[in-house]
Amino acid sequence: MNHPLSRLAIHTMTNKPWSLRECCDAYAKAGVGGVSVWRNVIEPIGIEEASRIVGDSGLKVPALVRGGFFVSRDEAKRNASIGENKKCIDEAAALDAEMVVLVVGAEVGVPLHEARKQVADGIAKCLDHAASNHVKLAIEPLHPMYAADRSCINRMADARYICEQLKSPWIGIAADVFHVWWDPDLASEIARAGRHGTLFGFHVCDWKPVMSDMLNDRGLMGEGAIDIASIRADVERAGFEGMIEVEVFSSHHWSRNQHEFLADILRAYQNHC
Ligand code: ZN
């Protein structure tokens, strides 16, 4: 029988006070199956050391987080983002990560319809590099409260339109319950992504009805409004076989003892996912 936590992966950002080594040691010891690595924990040690740490831990790596940010009024910046995304793909390959998560970008002054074109163009320029490195690219739709400056892709359907334009097995979607739980078309879009083979990632946390901060006040599963178990059931019905990735940005939880927080994460995963 599989370990009950074998399908669980935790994003390093969830335990932000920890280094990559501290995350990997604690997750492996707890029986967690995987780690999704944020680039900020690679930066201080370099990619060789990072891939050694992850490799030695035995953890799977569903995702490197994050690439994207394709949108700008400035053509030079748009071109620079392609180079940065290719570097990100190289790092993912070095970590043996399945995918790079894309937060696609948005910029005040760039109309959303134009921004979405820039995103499709930008991803198109990275696809060959992704394919030759065997790294998938997963568009993560972000909640519309981030449409001004982080992501012009806000619904599963918006991500699907890009996938349909690009027609590549290397482009798909990471569905994060925090961003998409409110969407009336969520269940049908999850089913459709399953049929199209584009459901690459599934991220969980919770939506607190009163948030003190748009970025760093997410709830642990069970602390908020999202019916995570029912979305998980949709994802399973769609044929998803990947890991369930816990991604919680929370100044509150980051201020706590991280070992105690990890114990809460494992309990929340078992009770609410
Ligand atoms: Zn996410």
Side-chain angles (χ1 to χ4, degrees), residues 3-268:
H3 190 282
L5 301 176
S6 61
R7 267 188 88 186
L8 167 64
I10 302 177
H11 282 233
T12 56
M13 190 57 88
T14 300
N15 294 107
K16 190 179 177 188
W18 278 347
S19 66
L20 179 61
R21 185 181 292 283
E22 287 173 307
C23 287
C24 288
D25 286 351
Y27 302 163
K29 193 168 166 221
V32 171
V35 59
S36 284
V37 180
W38 278 61
R39 295 183 84 195
N40 69 309
V41 297
I42 299 173
E43 205 183 48
I45 55 176
I47 188 63
E48 283 85 15
E49 175 71 4
S51 61
R52 226 182 346 261
I53 291 170
V54 171
D56 289 348
S57 74
L59 295 165
K60 290 184 191 155
V61 187
L64 175 69
V65 195
R66 60 202 181 181
F69 295 100
F70 296 105
V71 177
S72 177
R73 271 167 298 187
D74 180 347
E75 194 184 353
K77 280 192 192 158
R78 291 203 300 278
N79 289 335
S81 85
I82 306 303
E84 193 56 33
N85 276 284
K86 287 184 178 171
K87 194 177 149 207
C88 204
I89 290 165
D90 293 339
E91 289 180 1
L95 293 172
D96 212 6
E98 201 182 320
M99 74 193 93
V100 169
V101 172
L102 301 177
V103 171
V104 297
E107 190 177 273
V108 174
V110 181
L112 287 171
H113 63 272
E114 176 58 32
R116 292 180 191 125
K117 272 190 216 137
Q118 292 183 0
V119 169
D121 287 350
I123 296 174
K125 288 178 181 148
C126 298
L127 274 175
D128 283 349
H129 196 69
S132 60
N133 282 283
H134 293 267
V135 172
K136 298 180 193 171
L137 302 178
I139 299 169
E140 179 166 19
L142 297 200
H143 189 278
M145 72 176 168
Y146 301 117
D149 59 353
R150 285 177 188 272
S151 181
C152 59
I153 303 289
N154 308 105
R155 301 174 304 161
M156 294 285 290
D158 302 326
R160 171 167 57 81
Y161 300 149
I162 304 263
C163 296
E164 287 170 352
Q165 283 174 57
L166 296 176
K167 292 186 186 61
S168 159
W170 299 97
I171 184 73
I173 303 170
D176 184 323
V177 298
F178 180 83
H179 298 296
V180 298
W181 69 281
W182 54 274
D183 183 350
D185 297 324
L186 181 60
S188 61
E189 287 294 337
I190 286 173
R192 199 181 319 211
R195 286 197 302 278
H196 294 179
T198 53
L199 189 56
F200 287 178
F202 180 54
H203 302 177
V204 295
C205 65
D206 215 335
W207 179 280
K208 292 160 72 175
V210 178
M211 256 177 257
S212 63
D213 186 282
M214 278 167 72
L215 283 178
N216 297 323
D217 193 18
R218 296 189 191 180
L220 186 60
M221 299 81 75
E223 288 181 336
I226 306 176
D227 185 353
I228 299 166
S230 118
I231 301 175
R232 164 91 187 261
D234 291 337
V235 161
E236 296 292 332
R237 262 195 299 277
F240 180 74
E241 291 178 337
M243 302 194 87
I244 314 301
E245 302 175 48
V246 171
E247 183 190 28
V248 180
F249 305 169
S250 165
S251 302
H252 162 65
H253 288 301
W254 292 333
S255 72
R256 302 174 50 201
N257 175 304
Q258 293 301 291
H259 290 283
E260 288 172 14
F261 178 36
L262 178 58
D264 289 348
I265 292 169
L266 305 185
R267 249 191 313 274

